């Protein structure tokens, strides 16, 4: 429908992604403010059943094509472009995940439509959409006004709670949309599963996460002691894994795991958006950093400005005492 | 193998970022520029490919403060040719950058056709799109990003690449060459090149300059305001000695039944 | 006495035997020595014959008088005796050889000359006693890292035979015994001569030259180069260390890296060079060993043969850096130094922030003339653990009415440690920037609270006229206290001990000024066993503070040092270097000495005593 808010519904291995629900949540809000319908574009191959999960949208446009079985950015963008030209939405929201990286940009380029990347919020001012985007690793927030339609939004994870984008009911209508796609140039050959680590950090109730602030591999022992005292495990941000101090299976963030433990203790982690993406769902977030301006303090519930090397042993000691007293 | 690397200078976030007088852009005089981190990886990947398979590496950048040092460092690392696009006042948004670079690649002799165009997967100032897919679209080439390994086939007509997904999952793709590839991280961390080598490059090497082609396209997005994000819902800060703070934290954890 | 060379030995004329033996021995000796000389000639050049008067004096001091060695209990005296015994015996050997080879010469044998005989007898007897002392030390009370090689045993036996055979001949009653002794003696010496260049006893020939060609500067830095791995890439003087090494193990015993369990052994470094010189091949030195060095120069300080371990390490590091073979954390530190002028990765603008909270602002030396330009240094300015001491120094200077200022944002890391990681180019860049900034300042002295910066500014910066006039803050404080510009108001309690920083002590010979400060404050100073030029490095130098530990060590150098400090009974360990402060604070935590020992910086302590 012209003037609708169109969500690109991302899915992987038979599941609609959390990022899609976040997009639906935001789209729902935006559509409400504009008095416009919310629609979802489901692209794939023989996956019509997934449309039932997109009930937040009033209409799901299902594009079925073998080429779309896996996400190849240019093929998906080509299909979406045809869809958008037919449907004329006011805005298209594409999740910014590794899976869909590039789809939004290519769509914007195909349509010569305004594009906003790193978007964290959308509002309506005088009937037109305004986007808020974070730049420079989270250090700046830009308010962006598009000069044209449709607005292609690359939505950064975490803008809305995914539950607000779920619906118990299926969408009011699911329509098929046919596209003609050129022969894909890029082919997916296979997926390489990550090696199972000794510990699945997604199952842990408590995670002690270490970042660059831990300074050296030796100090990770301090984190391990605390994790053991708390009954959890150690995980890390990308720099720590890249250095080889922790196994890849312990990485939390955009290219790592998304975790939702009861307690996430972020030690020496600055809080770059790529990491925050992986842990913002934790029930209790405590951050320790020597820099009081660290972005992590924006997402944490409790914060301590201190050197990890001083705090970790003290905290481990305190936890052990408490536990011993409780069991006495 | 003929490789082109596109690099971009971005604001160095180590420095405090200051908003300019107009309230909607960075104070460009107060900011220092640094090479975009994933572009550094793209350059390293290109040099590694050159070392393994032979060929040439050409680096292209827009003129920007401190870009000269990045270009000479590229030479010291093993790049053969470095090109700077001049006549730019302020760093343009990514879409404009992509159009300028694509135009220069097309118009300058000896650049295209190349076997692959490498650039960083993304940059911290990519407000209106990512560079790699935009350049690919302009040049009509295939694109894939978030890559951690590039293995060209012997005939250089295609390459097997590894793309990173969430949770440590990786996907192996076959991409026809030439293509535009967005590098997330090179096979090895960017190498160290001693200062003496960079200084030697400054004396012996030449940065080719190309005037920026005129672009008439109007901006599709415009930034109406910029601000430092508020500490909305910021953390409750705990103060005191490590022992005091630990005590307070234990209290909080006990409340939540975590101890 | 009947002439020993007259007559026959096993049917062969004695003279002939002597000729043949001498020819064989001298040929073997000369070919081997010539081979070494050829290797040294092909190596890179280095000028070590400037200031001949100073060099000759060193020769007298350390070769003839053995002033450095003689201080050691037992072996010092023993070695001096053996040295002089050797000189006597060597001289008389040539005399006797000449006489033996040319029996028609109208000269007596050496021992037949009146005094000579007595001298030889006494030096022989005393020499044997000294030899016994050396043997007991070597085999019974074996010092750590002393190689009890077969080679060394052979040498001891040969010396014993040389001396013993002479004495046997001297006290012989019959001609047969005398002649036998003579022949044993001469042939043994000839054998020794031939064996010498193949053994560790080459140090006998090489060490005196080592002393003559020693470095007259105290930097341990080779001239700028591309680094070295292969034999020809080192300088002849660097290779010479391999020849002069007597394998005594003193360097290993002093080395903080080796003692802590890091892969570096200065002695093995010498052995590696020896193998290089001999052309024995073998792989290049392990990079982990090369990077373990803290550049403290304890090895060179202790070496009795004046070997120069540190230039070798630096040359090898330069090559590793040129190849980009630098580990990630060091790489990051070097990149930060290059980009931000400090290893913390903080913007230059943040450098003057340490001054916040001072009663009066610190003058900007770029804007007004000052008497002392205070080159603050990275750690003193940026590290929150050190900033209180830096502020204390500022308050002291202000209280004393000293005219001083700093370069604020224009100051860069002095480059000392970058240079010692082998990044010569980075050092040049930092030095140029600092010289440019300092060049615009009007001052009489440069003041430093950081020995690393002090060393670079004083000894390695290319000032237009001579050396930089640089003074350490302990020297200034000592003079302010003695001149009454600062006076202690409080009596500070407790015993203190003082750690001599490597770059202040061994490198620049400043040992007393800090001690004078402490006694001026009325403190009771107890000394650690390893003090002054024997001080044990904290482990941060040579860029080590920027490097990851690749091996698990039982006890880090700083941990060993704080234990040593605590063992003196002192409650306070006083330091005069920011890196020492940081290293020892951490070590006190990791060794569980918290509450028993505290670290205080000298200026901080002085400010407390002076109620400033």
């Amino acid at each position: 429908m012209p003037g609708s808010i169109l969500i690109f519904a991302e899915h992987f291995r038979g599941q609609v992604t959390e990022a899609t629900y976040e997009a639906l949540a935001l789209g729902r809000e935006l559509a409400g403010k504009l008095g416009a319908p919310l629609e979802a574009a489901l692209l794939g191959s023989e996956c019509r059943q997934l449309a039932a999960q997109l009930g937040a949208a009033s209409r799901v446009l299902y594009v079925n094509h073998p080429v779309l079985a896996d996400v190849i950015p240019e093929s998906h963008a080509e299909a979406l472009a045809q869809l958008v030209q037919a449907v004329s939405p006011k805005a298209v929201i594409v999740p910014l995940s590794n899976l869909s990286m590039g789809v939004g940009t290519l769509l914007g380029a195909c349509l010569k439509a305004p594009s906003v990347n790193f978007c964290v919020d959308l509002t309506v001012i005088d009937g037109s959409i305004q986007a808020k985007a974070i730049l420079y690793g989270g250090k700046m927030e830009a308010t962006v006004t598009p000069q044209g339609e449709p607005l292609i939004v690359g939505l950064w994870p975490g803008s809305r709670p995914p539950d607000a984008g779920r619906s118990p009911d299926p969408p009011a209508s699911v329509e098929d949309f046919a596209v003609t796609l050129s022969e894909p140039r890029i082919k997916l050959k296979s997926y390489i599963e990550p090696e199972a680590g000794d510990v699945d950090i997604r199952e842990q109730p408590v995670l002690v996460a270490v970042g660059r602030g831990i300074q050296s591999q030796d100090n990770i022992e301090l984190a391990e002691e605390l994790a053991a005292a708390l009954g959890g495990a150690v995980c890390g941000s990308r720099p720590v894994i890249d250095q080889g101090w922790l196994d890849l299976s312990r990485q939390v963030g955009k290219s790592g795991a998304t975790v939702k433990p009861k307690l996430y203790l972020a030690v020496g982690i600055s809080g770059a958006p790529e990491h925050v993406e992986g842990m913002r769902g934790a029930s209790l977030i405590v951050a320790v950093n020597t820099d009081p301006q660290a972005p992590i303090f924006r997402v944490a519930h409790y914060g301590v400005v201190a050197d990890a090397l001083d705090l970790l042993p003290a905290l481990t000691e305190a936890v052990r005492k408490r536990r011993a007293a409780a069991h006495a | 193998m003929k490789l082109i690397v596109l690099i971009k200078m971005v604001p160095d976030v180590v420095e405090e970022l200051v908003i300019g007088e107009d309230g909607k852009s960075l104070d460009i005089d107060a900011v220092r520029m640094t090479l975009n981190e994933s572009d550094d990886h793209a350059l390293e990947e290109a040099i590694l490919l050159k070392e393994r398979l032979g060929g040439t590496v050409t680096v292209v950048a827009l003129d920007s403060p401190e870009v000269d040092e990045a270009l000479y460092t590229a030479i010291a690392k093993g790049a053969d040719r470095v090109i700077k696009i001049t006549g730019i006042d302020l760093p343009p948004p990514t879409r404009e950058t992509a159009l300028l670079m694509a135009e220069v690649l097309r118009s300058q002799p000896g650049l295209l056709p190349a076997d692959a165009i490498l650039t960083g997967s993304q940059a911290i100032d990519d407000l209106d799109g990512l560079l790699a897919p935009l350049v690919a679209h302009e040049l009509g080439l295939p694109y894939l990003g978030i890559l951690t390994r590039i293995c060209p086939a012997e005939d250089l007509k295609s390459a097997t690449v590894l793309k990173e997904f969430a949770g440590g999952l990786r996907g192996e793709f076959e991409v026809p060459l030439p293509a535009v590839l967005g590098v997330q991280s090179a096979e090895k961390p960017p190498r160290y090149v001693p200062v003496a080598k960079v200084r030697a490059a400054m004396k012996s090497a030449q940065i080719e300059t190309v005037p920026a082609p005129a672009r008439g396209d109007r901006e599709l997005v415009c930034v109406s305001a910029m601000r430092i994000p508020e500490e909305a819902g910021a953390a409750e800060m705990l103060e005191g000695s490590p022992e005091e703070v630990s005590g307070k934290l234990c209290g909080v954890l006990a409340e939540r039944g975590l101890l | 006495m009947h002439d020993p060379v007259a007559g026959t030995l096993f049917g062969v004329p004695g003279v002939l035997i002597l000729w043949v033996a001498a020819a064989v021995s001298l040929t073997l000796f000369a070919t081997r020595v010539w081979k070494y000389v050829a290797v040294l000639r092909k190596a890179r050049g280095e000028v070590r014959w400037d200031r001949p008067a100073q060099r000759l004096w060193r020769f007298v001091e350390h070769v003839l008088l053995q002033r450095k060695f003689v201080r050691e209990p037992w072996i010092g005296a023993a070695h001096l005796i053996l040295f002089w015994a050797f000189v006597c015996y060597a001289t008389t050997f040539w005399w006797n050889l000449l006489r033996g080879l040319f029996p028609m010469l109208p000269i007596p044998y050496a021992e037949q000359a009146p005094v000579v005989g007595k001298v030889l007898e006494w030096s022989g007897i005393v020499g044997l006693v000294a030899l016994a002392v050396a043997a007991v030390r070597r085999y019974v009370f074996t010092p750590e890292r002393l190689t009890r090689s077969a080679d060394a045993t052979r040498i001891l036996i040969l010396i014993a035979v040389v001396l013993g055979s002479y004495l046997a001949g001297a006290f012989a009653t019959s001609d047969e015994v005398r002649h036998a002794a003579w022949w044993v003696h001469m042939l043994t010496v000839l054998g020794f001569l031939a064996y010498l260049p193949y053994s560790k006893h080459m140090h006998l020939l090489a060490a005196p030259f080592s002393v003559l060609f020693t470095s007259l500067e105290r930097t341990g830095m080779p001239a700028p180069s591309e680094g070295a791995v292969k034999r020809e890439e080192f300088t002849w003087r660097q290779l010479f260390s391999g020849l002069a090494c007597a394998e005594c193990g003193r360097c290993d015993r002093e080395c903080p890296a080796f003692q802590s369990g890091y892969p570096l052994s200065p002695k093995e470094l010498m052995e590696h060079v020896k193998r290089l010189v001999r052309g024995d091949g073998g792989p290049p030195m392990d990079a982990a060993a090369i990077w373990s060095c803290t550049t403290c120069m304890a090895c060179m300080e202790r070496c009795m043969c004046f070997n120069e371990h540190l230039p070798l390490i630096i040359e090898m590091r330069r090559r590793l850096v040129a190849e980009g073979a630098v580990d990630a954390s060091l790489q990051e530190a070097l990149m930060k130094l290059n980009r931000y002028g400090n290893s913390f990765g903080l913007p230059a603008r943040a450098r003057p922030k340490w001054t916040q909270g001072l009663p009066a602002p610190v003058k900007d030396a770029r804007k007004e003339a000052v008497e002392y330009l205070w080159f603050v240094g990275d750690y003193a300015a940026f590290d929150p653990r050190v900033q209180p001491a830096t502020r204390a120094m500022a308050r002291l200077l202000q209280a004393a009415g000293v005219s001083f200022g700093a370069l604020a944002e224009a100051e860069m890391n002095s480059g000392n440690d970058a240079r010692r990681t082998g990044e010569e180019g980075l050092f040049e860049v930092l030095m140029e920037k600092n010289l440019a900034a300092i060049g615009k300042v009007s001052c009489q002295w440069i003041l430093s609270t950081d020995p690393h910066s002090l060393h670079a500014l004083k000894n390695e910066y290319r000032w237009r006229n001579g050396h930089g006039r640089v003074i350490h803050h302990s020297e200034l404080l000592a003079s302010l206290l003695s001149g009454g510009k600062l006076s202690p108001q409080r009596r500070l309690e407790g015993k203190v001990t003082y750690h001599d920083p490597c770059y202040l002590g061994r490198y620049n010979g400043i040992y007393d000024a800090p001690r004078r400060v402490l006694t001026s404050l009325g403190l009771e100073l107890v000394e650690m066993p390893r003090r002054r030029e024997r001080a044990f490095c904290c482990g941060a130098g040579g860029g080590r503070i920027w490097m990851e530990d690749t091996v698990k060590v039982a006890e880090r150098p700083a941990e060993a040092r704080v234990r040593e400090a605590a063992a003196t009974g002192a409650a306070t360990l006083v330091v005069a270097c920011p890196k020492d402060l940081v290293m020892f604070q951490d070590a006190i935590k990791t060794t569980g000495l918290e509450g028993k020992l505290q670290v205080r910086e000298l200026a901080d302590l002085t400010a407390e005593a002076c109620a400033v």
Side-chain angles (χ1 to χ4, degrees):
Chain A
M1 202 152 300
S4 67
I5 304 297
L6 180 67
I7 310 297
F8 168 67
E10 193 190 58
H11 59 96
F12 188 64
R13 289 181 166 170
Q15 293 271 42
V16 171
T17 64
E18 292 295 280
T20 304
Y21 290 119
E22 288 177 2
L24 282 166
L26 180 60
R28 209 179 211 172
E29 240 183 68
L30 194 64
K33 285 186 194 154
L34 288 168
L38 179 66
E39 301 182 318
L42 177 65
L43 276 63
S45 177
E46 310 304 328
C47 62
R48 206 172 203 276
Q49 70 283 1
L50 291 174
Q53 298 179 33
L54 305 170
S58 52
R59 178 166 76 143
V60 172
L61 294 146
Y62 173 52
V63 184
N64 183 22
H65 197 296
V67 166
L68 301 173
D70 298 289
V71 180
I72 306 285
E74 46 194 39
S75 309
H76 269 59
E78 199 185 350
L80 263 179
Q82 290 173 24
L83 182 62
V84 166
Q85 269 161 342
V87 165
S88 298
K90 200 173 170 72
V92 182
I93 305 182
V94 181
L96 270 181
S97 64
N98 285 10
L99 187 60
S100 309
M101 181 80 88
V103 172
T105 300
L106 281 176
L107 180 61
C110 287
L111 301 172
K112 294 213 191 323
S115 256
V116 176
N117 227 14
F118 297 132
C119 180
V120 290
D121 201 5
L122 292 166
T123 49
V124 179
I125 307 272
D126 298 329
S128 39
I129 304 178
Q130 218 180 50
K132 283 209 166 47
I134 46 162
L135 294 174
Y136 313 125
K139 289 217 164 178
M140 279 287 175
E141 190 190 84
T143 310
V144 186
T145 5
Q147 317 288 311
E149 280 186 16
L151 170 63
I152 317 296
V153 174
L155 187 65
W156 194 253
S159 57
R160 290 290 184 282
D163 284 341
R166 280 187 247 266
S167 169
D169 309 308
S173 90
V174 179
E175 282 172 34
D176 295 303
F177 186 89
V179 290
T180 22
L181 294 178
S182 33
E183 190 57 38
R185 298 182 282 191
I186 299 174
K187 292 183 179 49
L188 170 68
K189 284 167 73 174
S190 66
Y191 284 111
I192 302 174
E193 300 295 331
E195 265 162 43
D198 46 346
V199 158
D200 187 352
I201 53 176
R202 280 169 290 206
E203 309 279 304
Q204 296 293 315
V206 173
L207 284 173
V208 178
V210 294
R212 278 209 182 128
I214 202 77
Q215 284 177 52
S216 88
Q217 185 162 23
D218 296 334
N219 297 330
I220 294 189
E221 218 178 287
L222 298 170
E224 276 168 8
E225 280 173 21
L226 179 59
L230 286 167
V234 169
C235 63
S237 60
R238 197 195 178 107
V240 166
I241 276 74
D242 279 349
Q243 293 267 53
W245 298 347
L246 281 178
D247 185 60
L248 186 60
S249 60
R250 305 286 185 122
Q251 185 173 330
V252 169
K254 196 175 191 65
S255 292
T258 299
V259 294
K260 287 192 171 65
K262 294 211 184 89
L263 169 63
Y264 192 88
L265 200 70
V267 177
I269 291 181
S270 66
E274 287 80 15
H275 181 77
V276 169
E277 197 187 318
M279 43 65 71
R280 67 182 317 127
S283 314
L284 178 61
I285 303 172
V286 178
V288 179
N289 200 299
T290 49
D291 176 13
Q293 307 293 334
I296 191 79
F297 291 125
R298 268 179 247 140
V299 78
H301 300 101
Y302 290 93
V304 185
V305 177
D307 189 337
L309 307 184
D310 286 331
L311 189 61
L312 282 173
L315 187 53
T316 309
E317 189 58 39
V319 168
R320 284 189 184 140
K321 280 208 185 104
R322 269 288 182 132
R323 275 236 145 104
H327 290 253
Chain B
M1 195 173 177
K2 197 165 160 211
L3 293 156
I4 297 179
V5 181
L6 305 176
I7 65 169
K8 196 159 67 131
M9 302 300 282
V10 297
D12 187 351
V13 297
V14 155
E15 311 270 340
E16 237 176 83
L17 297 178
V18 178
I19 300 168
E21 275 176 13
D22 60 2
K24 49 185 178 160
S25 60
L26 279 187
D27 184 351
I28 222 60
D29 297 316
V31 92
R32 277 192 76 180
M33 304 297 270
T34 185
L35 178 62
N36 175 30
E37 196 179 334
S38 50
D39 286 348
D40 201 10
H41 283 264
L43 175 62
E44 181 63 27
E45 189 70 23
I47 303 284
L48 287 169
L49 286 169
K50 175 187 166 180
E51 285 172 348
R52 207 175 293 148
L53 306 169
T56 59
V57 171
T58 304
V59 179
V60 179
L62 289 184
D63 195 4
S64 162
E66 306 191 57
V67 75
D68 282 10
E69 189 170 335
L71 290 171
Y72 284 121
T73 306
I75 298 257
K77 289 186 180 182
D80 302 280
R81 224 180 134 188
V82 294
I83 299 173
K84 185 165 69 166
I85 302 172
T86 55
I88 319 267
D89 297 329
L90 301 162
T94 311
R95 212 161 189 171
E96 169 103 11
T97 305
L99 295 172
L100 288 169
M101 285 186 162
E103 183 61 40
V104 166
L105 289 178
R106 272 193 293 255
S107 62
Q108 286 301 301
L111 288 177
L112 295 178
D115 293 306
I117 300 173
L118 268 56
T119 187
S121 211
Q122 69 279 318
I124 54 177
D125 63 352
D126 278 339
L127 180 59
D128 63 350
L130 303 168
L131 187 69
L134 287 168
V135 171
H137 180 82
E138 271 304 297
L139 298 175
L141 293 174
Y143 149 79
L144 200 58
I146 324 181
L147 304 180
T148 54
R149 181 125 45 100
I150 299 171
C151 298
E154 255 187 65
D155 60 3
L156 297 184
K157 292 228 169 67
S158 68
T160 304
V161 301
L162 272 184
K163 174 178 163 170
E164 257 184 10
F165 290 96
L169 180 71
R170 286 170 300 165
E172 208 178 35
F173 290 81
E174 198 179 291
V175 179
L177 295 181
V180 178
L181 302 171
V183 175
Q184 174 68 26
S185 57
E187 254 174 90
K188 294 196 199 131
R191 66 195 58 197
Y192 185 74
V193 62
V195 172
K197 249 192 175 166
V198 177
R199 288 182 115 190
M202 282 179 184
K203 291 202 191 87
S204 62
Q206 277 277 49
I207 298 178
E208 294 172 42
T209 54
V210 172
R215 299 291 328 169
D217 294 10
R218 60 181 181 85
E219 301 256 327
L220 288 170
V221 292
C222 91
V223 176
S224 51
M226 223 190 246
R227 65 186 195 124
I228 297 173
E230 266 158 28
E231 324 285 332
E236 184 180 326
M237 302 305 285
L238 303 172
E239 318 253 309
S241 71
E243 290 71 30
E244 287 167 359
V245 168
S246 304
K248 290 181 192 171
L249 269 175
C250 281
V252 170
L253 297 180
E255 267 172 41
R256 309 267 183 132
L258 284 161
L259 276 185
Chain C
M1 181 189 86
H2 192 45
D3 191 340
V5 300
T8 64
L9 222 62
F10 312 109
V12 184
V15 187
L16 185 62
I17 292 178
L18 196 63
W19 269 97
V20 170
V24 168
S25 164
L26 287 169
T27 309
L28 284 172
F29 176 83
T31 11
R32 188 65 172 188
V33 170
W34 186 246
K35 189 168 163 212
Y36 288 147
V37 172
V39 165
L40 294 178
R41 285 180 74 181
K42 273 204 218 100
R44 267 196 304 129
E46 193 175 344
V47 172
R48 290 292 184 95
W49 34 82
D50 57 316
R51 291 173 271 177
Q54 274 188 48
R55 296 184 177 280
L56 278 168
W57 177 239
R58 296 274 164 118
F59 186 89
V60 169
E61 260 194 300
H62 297 294
V63 179
L64 303 184
L65 302 175
Q66 309 223 328
R67 284 207 10 206
K68 203 167 157 184
F69 208 155
V70 130
R71 282 187 234 139
E72 274 196 39
W74 291 101
I75 191 67
H79 188 268
L80 184 64
I81 291 168
L82 279 168
F83 170 78
W84 281 105
F86 168 80
V87 170
C88 297
Y89 274 80
T91 320
T92 52
F93 163 76
W94 290 107
W95 179 338
N96 283 350
L97 186 67
L98 206 63
R99 171 59 180 79
L101 293 173
F102 302 101
M104 66 293 282
L105 283 174
I107 52 173
Y109 281 108
E111 52 274 22
Q112 288 166 335
V115 181
V116 181
K118 276 289 165 230
V119 169
L120 284 174
E121 268 171 43
W122 278 109
S123 51
I125 294 168
V126 178
L128 278 174
V129 172
L131 197 68
V133 168
V136 165
R137 175 177 176 272
R138 178 171 277 268
Y139 296 107
V140 179
F141 303 107
T142 318
E144 187 202 340
R145 296 300 287 172
L146 176 70
T147 319
R148 295 201 317 213
S149 59
D151 178 26
T153 313
R154 273 178 232 136
I155 301 289
L156 272 171
I157 294 173
L158 281 170
I159 300 174
V161 172
V162 165
L163 297 177
S165 59
Y166 176 79
L167 289 171
F171 294 113
T173 42
S174 71
D175 262 358
E176 278 123 10
V177 176
R178 214 172 290 132
H179 287 187
W182 191 93
W183 276 106
V184 168
H185 180 86
M186 292 304 279
L187 289 175
T188 310
V189 177
L190 282 170
F192 202 162
L193 192 65
Y195 180 59
L196 197 109
Y198 294 84
S199 86
K200 78 169 185 77
H201 227 59
M202 182 66 191
H203 90 266
L204 208 145
L205 283 178
F209 290 101
S210 215
V211 174
L212 256 183
F213 298 133
T214 191
S215 166
L216 294 172
E217 321 296 328
R218 225 26 193 152
T219 65
M221 282 301 296
S225 73
E226 306 285 306
V229 173
K230 295 207 276 274
R231 192 164 71 181
E232 318 75 60
E233 294 165 340
F234 291 98
T235 69
W236 67 268
R237 180 61 183 91
Q238 288 161 2
L239 293 175
F240 204 82
S241 297
L243 294 175
C245 176
E247 298 175 15
C248 72
R250 281 176 177 82
C251 49
D252 276 1
R253 294 198 283 281
E254 296 297 293
C255 177
F258 182 79
Q259 290 297 318
S260 301
Y262 289 98
L264 173 67
S265 155
K267 181 145 168 274
E268 272 168 36
L269 171 63
M270 292 295 107
E271 281 166 30
H272 175 81
V273 175
K274 204 178 282 200
R275 282 198 297 274
L276 274 181
V277 172
R278 288 201 185 135
D280 286 348
M285 260 194 88
D286 182 29
I290 298 170
W291 288 118
S292 297
C293 179
T294 69
T295 70
C296 75
M297 284 230 290
C299 49
M300 289 170 59
E301 176 63 45
R302 278 303 274 153
C303 182
M304 297 301 171
C305 294
F306 284 65
N307 280 338
E308 295 175 13
H309 310 66
L310 191 50
L312 291 157
I313 299 263
I314 304 285
E315 293 281 18
M316 292 191 280
R317 283 185 175 185
R318 283 177 182 168
R319 179 54 59 84
L320 290 172
V321 164
E323 290 165 0
V326 175
D327 85 34
S329 48
L330 177 58
Q331 184 169 329
E332 219 181 292
L334 293 173
M335 292 193 328
K336 285 179 191 163
L337 278 171
N338 191 12
R339 192 168 165 72
Y340 304 107
N342 65 77
S343 60
F344 292 80
L346 291 168
R349 264 181 303 111
R351 196 176 277 270
K353 284 203 180 138
W354 67 268
T355 60
Q356 281 165 11
L358 283 175
V362 171
K363 290 197 197 134
D364 187 343
R366 298 171 293 177
K367 302 201 179 113
E368 43 185 313
V370 290
E371 193 184 346
Y372 292 90
L373 169 63
W374 184 5
F375 192 94
V376 182
D378 275 11
Y379 269 79
F382 287 110
D383 193 312
R385 294 168 289 187
V386 187
Q387 285 168 344
T390 318
R391 281 192 283 269
M393 185 64 195
R395 290 195 306 271
L396 284 166
L397 292 171
Q398 284 166 351
V402 173
S403 154
F404 76 98
L407 290 168
E409 307 86 45
E411 186 185 305
M412 306 262 126
N413 183 291
S414 69
N416 182 64
D417 288 13
R419 188 170 216 204
R420 276 144 181 83
T421 63
E423 240 292 17
E424 197 68 18
L426 179 55
F427 168 73
E428 296 272 324
V429 165
L430 291 167
M431 175 181 67
E432 280 164 21
K433 289 191 179 146
N434 278 321
L435 284 175
I438 297 174
K440 300 197 191 105
V441 167
S442 162
C443 66
Q444 300 298 311
W445 289 93
I446 299 176
L447 170 69
S448 171
T449 37
D450 172 21
H452 291 240
S453 310
L454 176 133
H455 177 75
L457 289 165
K458 188 170 185 181
N459 305 305
E460 298 184 5
Y461 268 36
R462 278 198 291 277
W463 301 100
R464 249 174 291 132
N465 16 316
H467 282 219
R469 286 154 55 101
V470 188
I471 171 179
H472 188 246
H473 74 301
S474 62
E475 297 177 290
L476 181 57
L477 286 176
S479 85
L480 289 174
L481 283 163
S482 69
K485 293 263 177 67
L486 284 173
S487 35
Q489 306 290 317
R490 298 191 184 127
R491 157 144 247 115
L492 298 178
E493 295 298 317
K495 289 191 228 174
V496 302
T497 186
Y498 171 71
H499 167 82
D500 291 283
C502 304
Y503 279 86
L504 192 63
R506 270 187 293 269
Y507 274 88
N508 286 286
I510 299 172
Y511 299 106
D512 295 310
R515 289 175 166 84
R516 285 203 303 276
V517 171
L518 292 172
T519 43
S520 306
L521 298 179
L523 287 163
E524 186 193 340
L525 176 65
V526 292
E527 296 275 10
M528 287 185 274
R530 290 181 292 194
R531 59 177 172 275
R532 304 177 79 98
E533 56 282 334
R534 301 285 296 268
F536 193 71
C537 176
C538 75
R544 290 293 305 159
I545 203 167
W546 300 323
M547 295 183 209
E548 275 283 302
D549 273 347
T550 47
V551 294
K552 202 131 191 79
V553 288
E555 187 186 53
R556 296 208 177 86
E559 292 170 340
R561 192 59 164 162
V562 296
R563 289 196 173 109
E564 189 179 347
T568 62
T572 305
L573 169 59
V574 182
V575 295
C577 168
K579 290 200 202 41
D580 282 335
L581 184 61
V582 163
M583 296 297 286
F584 292 141
Q585 274 180 3
D586 279 347
I588 284 176
K589 285 183 202 155
T590 54
T591 52
L593 281 168
E594 271 177 296
K596 300 193 193 96
L597 184 72
Q598 55 158 352
V599 199
R600 297 290 299 279
E601 204 274 343
L602 190 68
D604 188 39
L605 206 58
T606 311
E608 187 186 334
C610 296
V612 152

